[in-house]
Amino acid sequence: MDPQSIQTSLVLILDFGSQYTHLITRRIRSLSVFSLCISGTSPLKSITDLNPSVIILSGGPHSVHAPNAPCFPDGFIEYVESKGVFVLGICYGLQLIVERLGGSVRVGEKQEYGRMEIEVERACGLFGGSKKVGDKQVVWMSHGDEAVKLPDGFEVVARSQQGTVAAVECPGRRFYGLQYHPEVTHSPEGMETLRYFLFDVCGVTAGWKMEDVLDEEIKVIQGKVGPEDHVICALSGGVDSTVAATLVHKAIGDRLHCVFVDNGLLRYKERERVMETFERDLHLPVTCVDATEQFLSKLKGVVDPEMKRKIIGKEFICIFDDFAQHLERDLGKKAVFLVQGTLYPDVIESCPPPGSGRTHSHTIKSHHNVGGLPKDMKLKLIEPLKLLFKDEVRELGKILAVPTAFLKRHPFPGPGLAVRVLGDVTEENALEILRQVDEIFIQSIKDAGIYDSIWQAFAVFLPIRSVGVQGDQRTHSHVVALRAVTSQDGMTADWYNFEHKFLDNVARKICNSVRGVNRVVQDITSKPPSTIEWE
């Protein structure tokens, strides 16, 4: 999907490192407005080429006074004013606007973190819809600095209960700012504020829909792939790669060649189940490659999660290159492209690709699609979903007639069980134990009728043993963890609150059925502070 070809208003988010930045992107898309996030320090040309209607400056962990604090590029102010672009600063973004336009920001006498009440002082601009002077609302604050002197033409729109500037605006110059985070659910009226700002203040058109994404992406693929070019698709058996394959197949037909790799890190009977689905329901021509020994031999002794991901990514590419060579012998010509089901969260949370300029957000994980690709890879990449979130991919799959039951499958990581076995995956029969535990857990969830209420559920093999009593004998066996979360897009998540009876039954089944396990624990942390996967 080429953002420059989207025929609707673009809201561009400049990322200055906030953990909430990409929630802004997601919230705006939920309003049927296309939004895109790039580094806050991107060159001015990267911004002007996208021709945005609105620019949002995100929050971040920095102080505007710190050495090398991130800032928008030179010429940014002149550009937005000459083009009439609306600018909204959030948290650090507000402070950046104030400081760069001639105001003053200093360390606050009273720092504000968490829920805070604010009061409207001017019923216009940001709060001109249903708000009037004196109205109060609860918002989510996360800042140490505060604006103490506003630039010429700016006015305070709202203050916190401590008297701190909470919202500012300068309608004549089209600059607005919120000291709090409207994008998080902890700001209950935040979405209404964003909605009013975009539609009523900025005049943005809500015209972005998934059918447009499909049509545009087919055009992009057909324009990129030559009429005689052949394409390989890496099918994992998950929703993302399957939707990507179906989309590319619709664009180029039988010149797509799918390969499913059994890397020895799959779930219980995953290979058999996935191949049956591809052949029976999706009618995709798929070659299955058994590379179990190849992967496990390279992973032997490896315990570092990032190293696991990079090894797995490299081995996948080696297999795809080999598959391409065999295909060349059969077809008499080389395959040129490789399709992957990389999603926007994968790109966001992975090591920044060369030239991306994303230097102010911390790396959360290296996704094998993004962070583990070798520089000398022979195949060119096609990633038709890389600007979409998981729920958007499911919506796209529905349009492409991918079976609903398949689209509802919980996400499964590209590195497979390697990131659910903490430690060496080749030791202590860990993979087989985990497969059995995971199968019992997932089947119990389905039997209870709650599978569709959970975004992702899985088991984790912990690198510890505990003392237990089984069959009137002392045991020293493995501990496994169960994790289930609810989420919209995987960027944030809450743990699923099972009934105690359900957990009791599952734990009993696991300890009675899986040899080598005598203790079951549950992970009840949200994201943040944790990630969804354990490694």
Side-chain angles (χ1 to χ4, degrees), residues 415-494:
L417 298 183
V419 293
R420 294 179 181 175
V421 172
L422 304 195
D424 187 344
V425 301
T426 65
E427 288 187 347
E428 300 189 284
N429 201 31
L431 288 170
E432 187 54 37
I433 289 174
L434 183 57
R435 286 189 184 99
Q436 295 179 49
V437 171
D438 189 75
E439 178 70 7
I440 291 171
F441 184 36
I442 298 302
Q443 190 57 52
S444 296
I445 288 173
K446 291 179 178 179
D447 292 343
I450 55 177
Y451 185 83
D452 291 345
S453 301
I454 297 171
W455 194 79
Q456 188 175 20
F458 55 91
V460 180
F461 183 92
L462 303 181
I464 55 176
R465 289 175 178 264
S466 73
V467 173
V469 179
Q470 292 172 295
D472 295 325
Q473 294 182 344
R474 177 187 186 277
T475 60
H476 190 231
S477 299
H478 297 289
V479 182
V480 293
L482 305 181
R483 180 145 174 79
V485 299
T486 58
S487 179
Q488 270 197 318
D489 46 44
M491 295 305 300
T492 59
D494 290 318

Coordinates of all heavy atoms in Angstrom, one line a residue, residues 415-494:
P415 N 8.6 -16.9 14.7 CA 9.6 -17.8 15.2 C 9.0 -19.0 15.9 O 9.7 -19.9 16.5 CB 10.3 -16.9 16.2 CG 10.0 -15.5 15.8 CD 8.6 -15.5 15.2
G416 N 7.6 -19.1 16.0 CA 6.9 -20.2 16.5 C 7.2 -20.4 18.0 O 7.3 -19.5 18.8
L417 N 7.3 -21.7 18.4 CA 7.5 -22.1 19.8 C 8.8 -21.7 20.3 O 9.1 -21.8 21.5 CB 7.2 -23.6 20.0 CG 5.8 -24.1 19.7 CD1 5.7 -25.5 20.0 CD2 4.7 -23.3 20.4
A418 N 9.7 -21.2 19.5 CA 11.1 -20.8 19.9 C 11.0 -19.7 20.9 O 11.8 -19.5 21.8 CB 12.0 -20.4 18.8
V419 N 10.0 -18.8 20.8 CA 9.8 -17.7 21.7 C 8.8 -18.0 22.8 O 8.5 -17.1 23.6 CB 9.4 -16.4 20.9 CG1 10.5 -15.9 20.0 CG2 8.1 -16.6 20.1
R420 N 8.4 -19.2 22.9 CA 7.5 -19.7 24.0 C 8.2 -20.7 24.8 O 7.7 -21.2 25.8 CB 6.2 -20.2 23.4 CG 5.4 -19.1 22.8 CD 4.1 -19.5 22.2 NE 3.4 -18.4 21.6 CZ 2.2 -18.5 20.9 NH1 1.7 -19.7 20.8 NH2 1.7 -17.4 20.4
V421 N 9.4 -21.1 24.4 CA 10.3 -21.9 25.3 C 11.4 -21.0 25.7 O 12.2 -20.6 24.9 CB 10.9 -23.1 24.5 CG1 11.9 -23.8 25.3 CG2 9.8 -24.1 24.0
L422 N 11.4 -20.7 27.0 CA 12.4 -19.8 27.5 C 13.7 -20.7 27.8 O 13.8 -21.6 28.6 CB 12.0 -19.2 28.8 CG 10.7 -18.4 28.8 CD1 10.5 -17.6 30.1 CD2 10.5 -17.6 27.6
G423 N 14.7 -20.3 27.0 CA 16.0 -21.1 27.0 C 16.2 -21.9 25.8 O 15.6 -21.6 24.7
D424 N 17.0 -22.9 25.9 CA 17.3 -23.8 24.7 C 16.1 -24.7 24.3 O 15.7 -25.5 25.1 CB 18.5 -24.7 25.1 CG 19.1 -25.5 23.9 OD1 18.4 -25.6 22.9 OD2 20.2 -26.0 24.1
V425 N 15.7 -24.5 23.1 CA 14.5 -25.2 22.7 C 14.7 -26.7 22.5 O 13.8 -27.5 22.4 CB 13.9 -24.6 21.4 CG1 13.5 -23.2 21.5 CG2 14.9 -24.8 20.2
T426 N 16.0 -27.1 22.4 CA 16.3 -28.5 22.1 C 16.6 -29.3 23.4 O 16.8 -30.5 23.3 CB 17.6 -28.6 21.2 OG1 18.7 -28.1 22.0 CG2 17.5 -27.8 20.0
E427 N 16.4 -28.7 24.5 CA 16.7 -29.4 25.8 C 15.4 -29.9 26.5 O 14.3 -29.3 26.3 CB 17.5 -28.5 26.8 CG 18.9 -28.3 26.4 CD 19.7 -27.5 27.5 OE1 19.0 -27.0 28.4 OE2 20.9 -27.5 27.4
E428 N 15.5 -31.0 27.2 CA 14.5 -31.5 28.1 C 13.2 -31.7 27.5 O 12.1 -31.5 28.2 CB 14.4 -30.6 29.3 CG 15.7 -30.4 30.1 CD 15.5 -29.6 31.4 OE1 15.3 -28.4 31.3 OE2 15.5 -30.2 32.4
N429 N 13.1 -32.1 26.2 CA 11.9 -32.4 25.6 C 10.9 -31.2 25.7 O 9.7 -31.4 25.7 CB 11.2 -33.6 26.2 CG 10.2 -34.3 25.3 OD1 10.3 -34.2 24.1 ND2 9.2 -34.9 25.8
A430 N 11.4 -30.0 25.7 CA 10.6 -28.8 25.9 C 9.6 -28.6 24.9 O 8.4 -28.3 25.2 CB 11.6 -27.6 26.0
L431 N 9.9 -28.8 23.6 CA 9.0 -28.5 22.5 C 7.8 -29.5 22.6 O 6.6 -29.0 22.5 CB 9.7 -28.7 21.2 CG 10.6 -27.5 20.8 CD1 11.4 -27.9 19.6 CD2 9.9 -26.2 20.6
E432 N 8.0 -30.7 22.8 CA 6.9 -31.7 22.9 C 6.0 -31.5 24.1 O 4.8 -31.5 24.0 CB 7.5 -33.1 22.9 CG 6.4 -34.2 22.8 CD 5.5 -34.0 21.6 OE1 6.0 -33.6 20.5 OE2 4.3 -34.3 21.7
I433 N 6.6 -31.1 25.2 CA 5.8 -30.8 26.4 C 5.0 -29.6 26.2 O 3.8 -29.6 26.5 CB 6.8 -30.6 27.6 CG1 7.4 -31.9 28.1 CG2 6.0 -29.9 28.8 CD1 8.4 -31.7 29.2
L434 N 5.6 -28.6 25.6 CA 4.8 -27.3 25.3 C 3.7 -27.6 24.3 O 2.6 -27.0 24.5 CB 5.8 -26.3 24.8 CG 5.1 -24.9 24.5 CD1 4.5 -24.3 25.8 CD2 6.2 -23.9 24.0
R435 N 3.9 -28.4 23.3 CA 2.9 -28.7 22.3 C 1.6 -29.3 23.0 O 0.5 -28.9 22.8 CB 3.4 -29.6 21.2 CG 4.3 -29.0 20.2 CD 4.6 -29.9 19.1 NE 5.5 -29.3 18.2 CZ 6.8 -29.6 18.1 NH1 7.3 -30.5 19.0 NH2 7.6 -28.9 17.3
Q436 N 1.9 -30.2 23.9 CA 0.8 -30.9 24.6 C 0.0 -30.0 25.5 O -1.2 -30.0 25.6 CB 1.3 -32.1 25.4 CG 1.9 -33.2 24.5 CD 2.4 -34.4 25.3 OE1 1.7 -34.9 26.2 NE2 3.6 -34.8 25.1
V437 N 0.8 -29.2 26.3 CA 0.2 -28.2 27.2 C -0.7 -27.2 26.4 O -1.8 -26.9 26.8 CB 1.3 -27.5 28.0 CG1 0.6 -26.4 28.8 CG2 2.0 -28.5 28.9
D438 N -0.1 -26.7 25.3 CA -0.8 -25.6 24.5 C -2.1 -26.2 23.9 O -3.1 -25.5 23.9 CB 0.2 -25.1 23.4 CG -0.4 -23.9 22.7 OD1 -0.4 -22.8 23.3 OD2 -0.9 -24.1 21.6
E439 N -2.0 -27.4 23.5 CA -3.2 -28.1 22.9 C -4.3 -28.2 23.9 O -5.5 -27.9 23.6 CB -2.8 -29.4 22.3 CG -4.0 -30.2 21.7 CD -4.5 -29.6 20.4 OE1 -3.9 -28.7 19.8 OE2 -5.5 -30.1 19.9
I440 N -4.0 -28.6 25.1 CA -5.0 -28.8 26.1 C -5.6 -27.4 26.5 O -6.8 -27.3 26.6 CB -4.4 -29.4 27.4 CG1 -4.0 -30.9 27.1 CG2 -5.3 -29.3 28.6 CD1 -3.2 -31.5 28.2
F441 N -4.7 -26.4 26.6 CA -5.2 -25.1 27.0 C -6.1 -24.5 25.9 O -7.2 -24.0 26.2 CB -4.0 -24.2 27.1 CG -4.3 -22.8 27.6 CD1 -5.3 -22.5 28.5 CD2 -3.5 -21.7 27.1 CE1 -5.6 -21.2 28.9 CE2 -3.7 -20.4 27.6 CZ -4.8 -20.1 28.4
I442 N -5.7 -24.5 24.6 CA -6.5 -24.0 23.6 C -7.8 -24.7 23.4 O -8.9 -24.1 23.2 CB -5.7 -23.9 22.2 CG1 -4.5 -23.0 22.4 CG2 -6.6 -23.4 21.1 CD1 -4.8 -21.6 22.8
Q443 N -7.8 -26.1 23.4 CA -9.0 -26.8 23.2 C -10.0 -26.6 24.4 O -11.2 -26.5 24.2 CB -8.6 -28.3 23.2 CG -9.8 -29.2 22.7 CD -10.4 -28.8 21.4 OE1 -9.7 -28.7 20.4 NE2 -11.7 -28.5 21.3
S444 N -9.4 -26.4 25.6 CA -10.3 -26.1 26.7 C -11.0 -24.7 26.5 O -12.2 -24.6 26.9 CB -9.5 -26.1 28.0 OG -9.0 -27.3 28.3
I445 N -10.3 -23.8 26.0 CA -10.8 -22.5 25.7 C -12.0 -22.6 24.6 O -13.0 -22.0 24.8 CB -9.7 -21.5 25.2 CG1 -8.8 -21.1 26.4 CG2 -10.3 -20.2 24.6 CD1 -7.6 -20.3 25.9
K446 N -11.7 -23.4 23.6 CA -12.7 -23.6 22.6 C -14.0 -24.3 23.2 O -15.1 -23.9 22.9 CB -12.2 -24.4 21.4 CG -11.1 -23.6 20.6 CD -10.6 -24.5 19.5 CE -9.6 -23.7 18.6 NZ -9.0 -24.5 17.5
D447 N -13.7 -25.3 24.0 CA -14.8 -26.0 24.6 C -15.7 -25.2 25.5 O -16.9 -25.4 25.7 CB -14.3 -27.2 25.4 CG -13.7 -28.3 24.5 OD1 -13.9 -28.3 23.3 OD2 -12.9 -29.1 25.0
A448 N -15.0 -24.2 26.1 CA -15.7 -23.3 27.0 C -16.5 -22.2 26.2 O -17.2 -21.4 26.8 CB -14.8 -22.6 28.0
G449 N -16.3 -22.1 24.9 CA -17.0 -21.1 24.1 C -16.4 -19.7 24.2 O -17.2 -18.7 24.0
I450 N -15.2 -19.5 24.6 CA -14.6 -18.2 24.8 C -13.4 -17.9 23.9 O -12.8 -16.9 24.1 CB -14.2 -18.0 26.3 CG1 -13.2 -19.1 26.7 CG2 -15.4 -18.0 27.2 CD1 -12.7 -19.0 28.1
Y451 N -13.2 -18.7 22.9 CA -12.1 -18.6 22.0 C -12.1 -17.2 21.3 O -11.1 -16.5 21.2 CB -12.0 -19.7 21.0 CG -10.8 -19.7 20.1 CD1 -9.6 -20.2 20.5 CD2 -10.9 -19.1 18.8 CE1 -8.4 -20.2 19.7 CE2 -9.8 -19.1 18.0 CZ -8.5 -19.6 18.4 OH -7.4 -19.6 17.6
D452 N -13.3 -16.8 20.8 CA -13.4 -15.6 20.1 C -13.4 -14.4 20.9 O -13.3 -13.2 20.4 CB -14.7 -15.6 19.3 CG -14.7 -16.6 18.1 OD1 -13.6 -17.1 17.8 OD2 -15.8 -17.0 17.6
S453 N -13.5 -14.5 22.2 CA -13.4 -13.4 23.2 C -12.0 -13.1 23.5 O -11.7 -12.1 24.2 CB -14.2 -13.7 24.4 OG -15.6 -14.0 24.1
I454 N -11.1 -13.9 23.1 CA -9.6 -13.8 23.5 C -8.9 -13.4 22.2 O -9.0 -14.1 21.2 CB -9.1 -15.1 24.2 CG1 -9.9 -15.3 25.4 CG2 -7.6 -15.0 24.4 CD1 -9.6 -16.7 26.1
W455 N -8.0 -12.5 22.3 CA -7.2 -12.1 21.1 C -6.1 -13.1 20.9 O -5.8 -13.4 19.8 CB -6.6 -10.7 21.4 CG -6.0 -10.1 20.1 CD1 -6.8 -9.4 19.2 CD2 -4.7 -10.0 19.7 NE1 -5.9 -9.0 18.2 CE2 -4.6 -9.3 18.5 CE3 -3.5 -10.4 20.3 CZ2 -3.5 -9.0 17.8 CZ3 -2.3 -10.1 19.6 CH2 -2.3 -9.4 18.4
Q456 N -5.4 -13.5 22.0 CA -4.4 -14.5 21.8 C -4.2 -15.3 23.1 O -4.2 -14.7 24.2 CB -3.0 -13.9 21.4 CG -1.9 -14.8 21.1 CD -0.7 -14.1 20.6 OE1 -0.5 -12.9 20.9 NE2 0.2 -14.8 19.9
A457 N -4.1 -16.6 23.0 CA -3.8 -17.5 24.2 C -2.8 -18.5 23.8 O -2.7 -19.0 22.7 CB -5.1 -18.2 24.6
F458 N -1.9 -18.8 24.8 CA -0.9 -19.8 24.5 C -0.2 -20.2 25.8 O -0.4 -19.6 26.9 CB 0.2 -19.2 23.6 CG 0.8 -17.9 24.0 CD1 2.0 -17.9 24.8 CD2 0.2 -16.7 23.7 CE1 2.5 -16.7 25.2 CE2 0.8 -15.5 24.1 CZ 2.0 -15.5 24.9
A459 N 0.6 -21.3 25.7 CA 1.3 -21.7 26.9 C 2.8 -21.4 26.7 O 3.3 -21.2 25.6 CB 1.2 -23.2 27.0
V460 N 3.5 -21.3 27.8 CA 5.0 -21.0 27.8 C 5.7 -22.1 28.7 O 5.2 -22.4 29.8 CB 5.2 -19.6 28.4 CG1 6.7 -19.3 28.4 CG2 4.4 -18.6 27.7
F461 N 6.8 -22.5 28.2 CA 7.7 -23.5 28.9 C 8.7 -22.7 29.6 O 9.6 -22.0 29.0 CB 8.3 -24.5 27.9 CG 9.2 -25.5 28.5 CD1 8.7 -26.7 28.9 CD2 10.5 -25.3 28.8 CE1 9.4 -27.7 29.5 CE2 11.3 -26.2 29.4 CZ 10.8 -27.5 29.8
L462 N 8.7 -22.8 31.0 CA 9.7 -22.1 31.8 C 10.9 -22.9 32.1 O 10.8 -24.1 32.3 CB 9.0 -21.6 33.1 CG 7.7 -20.8 33.0 CD1 7.2 -20.5 34.3 CD2 8.0 -19.6 32.2
P463 N 12.1 -22.2 32.1 CA 13.3 -23.0 32.3 C 13.6 -23.3 33.8 O 14.7 -23.1 34.3 CB 14.4 -22.0 31.8 CG 13.8 -20.7 32.1 CD 12.3 -20.8 31.9
I464 N 12.6 -23.7 34.5 CA 12.8 -24.1 35.9 C 12.0 -25.3 36.2 O 11.1 -25.7 35.5 CB 12.2 -22.9 36.8 CG1 10.8 -22.6 36.5 CG2 13.1 -21.7 36.7 CD1 10.1 -21.6 37.4
R465 N 12.4 -26.0 37.3 CA 11.7 -27.1 37.8 C 11.2 -26.8 39.2 O 11.8 -26.0 39.9 CB 12.6 -28.4 37.9 CG 13.0 -28.9 36.5 CD 13.9 -30.1 36.6 NE 14.3 -30.7 35.3 CZ 13.7 -31.8 34.9 NH1 12.7 -32.4 35.5 NH2 14.1 -32.3 33.7
S466 N 10.1 -27.5 39.6 CA 9.6 -27.3 41.0 C 9.3 -28.7 41.6 O 9.1 -29.7 40.9 CB 8.4 -26.5 41.0 OG 7.3 -27.2 40.5
V467 N 9.3 -28.7 42.9 CA 8.9 -30.0 43.6 C 7.4 -30.2 43.7 O 6.7 -29.2 43.9 CB 9.5 -29.9 45.1 CG1 9.0 -31.1 45.9 CG2 11.0 -29.9 45.0
G468 N 7.0 -31.4 43.4 CA 5.6 -31.7 43.4 C 5.3 -33.1 44.0 O 6.3 -33.8 44.3
V469 N 4.1 -33.4 44.2 CA 3.7 -34.8 44.6 C 2.7 -35.3 43.6 O 1.6 -34.8 43.4 CB 3.0 -34.7 46.0 CG1 2.6 -36.1 46.5 CG2 3.9 -34.0 47.0
Q470 N 3.1 -36.4 42.9 CA 2.3 -37.1 41.9 C 2.4 -38.6 42.2 O 3.5 -39.1 42.2 CB 2.8 -36.7 40.5 CG 2.5 -35.2 40.2 CD 3.1 -34.8 38.9 OE1 4.4 -34.8 38.7 NE2 2.3 -34.4 37.9
G471 N 1.2 -39.2 42.3 CA 1.2 -40.6 42.6 C 1.9 -41.0 43.9 O 2.6 -42.0 44.0
D472 N 1.7 -40.1 44.9 CA 2.2 -40.3 46.2 C 3.7 -40.3 46.2 O 4.4 -40.8 47.2 CB 1.7 -41.6 46.8 CG 0.2 -41.6 47.1 OD1 -0.3 -40.5 47.4 OD2 -0.4 -42.7 46.9
Q473 N 4.3 -39.7 45.2 CA 5.8 -39.7 45.1 C 6.2 -38.2 44.9 O 5.5 -37.4 44.3 CB 6.3 -40.5 44.0 CG 6.1 -42.0 44.2 CD 6.7 -42.8 43.1 OE1 7.0 -42.3 42.0 NE2 6.9 -44.1 43.3
R474 N 7.4 -37.9 45.4 CA 8.0 -36.6 45.2 C 8.5 -36.5 43.7 O 9.1 -37.4 43.2 CB 9.2 -36.4 46.1 CG 9.9 -35.1 45.9 CD 11.2 -35.1 46.7 NE 11.9 -33.8 46.7 CZ 12.7 -33.4 45.8 NH1 13.0 -34.2 44.7 NH2 13.3 -32.2 45.8
T475 N 8.1 -35.4 43.1 CA 8.6 -35.2 41.7 C 9.3 -33.8 41.6 O 9.1 -33.0 42.5 CB 7.4 -35.1 40.7 OG1 6.5 -34.0 41.1 CG2 6.6 -36.4 40.7
H476 N 10.2 -33.8 40.7 CA 10.9 -32.5 40.4 C 10.8 -32.2 38.9 O 11.6 -32.6 38.1 CB 12.4 -32.7 40.8 CG 13.2 -31.4 40.9 ND1 14.4 -31.2 40.2 CD2 12.9 -30.2 41.4 CE1 14.8 -30.0 40.4 NE2 13.9 -29.3 41.1
S477 N 9.7 -31.6 38.6 CA 9.3 -31.5 37.2 C 9.2 -30.0 36.7 O 9.4 -29.1 37.5 CB 8.0 -32.2 37.0 OG 8.1 -33.6 37.3
H478 N 8.7 -29.9 35.5 CA 8.7 -28.6 34.8 C 7.5 -27.7 35.2 O 6.5 -28.2 35.6 CB 8.7 -28.8 33.3 CG 10.0 -29.5 32.8 ND1 11.2 -28.8 32.8 CD2 10.2 -30.7 32.3 CE1 12.1 -29.7 32.3 NE2 11.5 -30.8 32.0
V479 N 7.7 -26.4 35.1 CA 6.6 -25.4 35.3 C 6.2 -24.8 33.9 O 7.1 -24.5 33.1 CB 7.1 -24.3 36.2 CG1 6.0 -23.3 36.5 CG2 7.6 -24.9 37.5
V480 N 5.0 -24.7 33.7 CA 4.5 -24.1 32.5 C 3.6 -22.9 32.9 O 2.9 -22.9 33.9 CB 3.7 -25.1 31.6 CG1 4.6 -26.1 31.0 CG2 2.5 -25.7 32.3
A481 N 3.5 -21.9 32.0 CA 2.7 -20.7 32.2 C 1.6 -20.6 31.2 O 1.8 -21.0 30.0 CB 3.5 -19.5 32.3
L482 N 0.5 -20.2 31.5 CA -0.6 -19.9 30.6 C -0.9 -18.4 30.5 O -0.9 -17.7 31.4 CB -1.9 -20.6 31.1 CG -1.9 -22.1 31.5 CD1 -3.2 -22.6 31.9 CD2 -1.4 -22.9 30.3
R483 N -1.0 -18.0 29.2 CA -1.2 -16.6 29.0 C -2.4 -16.4 28.0 O -2.5 -17.1 27.0 CB 0.0 -15.9 28.4 CG -0.1 -14.4 28.1 CD 1.2 -13.7 28.3 NE 1.2 -12.3 28.0 CZ 0.7 -11.3 28.7 NH1 0.0 -11.5 29.8 NH2 0.9 -10.0 28.3
A484 N -3.3 -15.5 28.3 CA -4.4 -15.1 27.4 C -4.7 -13.6 27.5 O -4.7 -13.1 28.7 CB -5.6 -15.9 27.7
V485 N -4.8 -13.0 26.4 CA -5.0 -11.5 26.5 C -6.1 -11.1 25.5 O -6.5 -11.8 24.6 CB -3.7 -10.8 26.0 CG1 -2.5 -11.1 27.0 CG2 -3.3 -11.1 24.6
T486 N -6.7 -9.9 25.9 CA -7.6 -9.2 25.0 C -6.9 -8.0 24.4 O -6.1 -7.4 25.1 CB -8.9 -8.8 25.7 OG1 -8.5 -7.9 26.8 CG2 -9.6 -10.0 26.3
S487 N -7.2 -7.7 23.1 CA -6.6 -6.6 22.5 C -7.3 -6.3 21.2 O -8.1 -7.1 20.7 CB -5.1 -6.9 22.2 OG -4.5 -5.9 21.5
Q488 N -7.0 -5.1 20.6 CA -7.6 -4.8 19.3 C -6.5 -5.0 18.2 O -6.8 -5.6 17.2 CB -8.0 -3.3 19.3 CG -9.5 -3.1 19.7 CD -9.9 -1.7 19.2 OE1 -9.2 -0.7 19.3 NE2 -11.1 -1.7 18.7
D489 N -5.3 -4.7 18.5 CA -4.3 -4.7 17.4 C -2.9 -5.2 17.9 O -2.0 -5.2 17.1 CB -4.1 -3.3 16.9 CG -4.0 -2.2 18.0 OD1 -3.3 -2.5 19.0 OD2 -4.6 -1.2 17.9
G490 N -2.8 -5.6 19.2 CA -1.6 -6.2 19.6 C -0.6 -5.1 20.2 O 0.4 -5.5 20.8
M491 N -0.9 -3.8 20.0 CA -0.1 -2.8 20.5 C -0.2 -2.6 22.0 O 0.8 -2.3 22.7 CB -0.4 -1.5 19.8 CG -0.1 -1.5 18.3 SD 1.6 -1.9 17.9 CE 2.5 -0.6 18.8
T492 N -1.4 -2.8 22.5 CA -1.7 -2.9 24.0 C -2.5 -4.1 24.2 O -3.3 -4.5 23.3 CB -2.4 -1.6 24.5 OG1 -3.6 -1.5 23.8 CG2 -1.5 -0.4 24.2
A493 N -2.5 -4.6 25.4 CA -3.3 -5.8 25.7 C -3.6 -5.9 27.2 O -2.8 -5.4 28.1 CB -2.6 -7.0 25.3
D494 N -4.7 -6.4 27.6 CA -5.0 -6.7 29.0 C -5.2 -8.3 29.1 O -5.6 -8.9 28.2 CB -6.4 -6.1 29.4 CG -6.3 -4.6 29.5 OD1 -5.2 -4.1 30.0 OD2 -7.2 -3.9 29.0

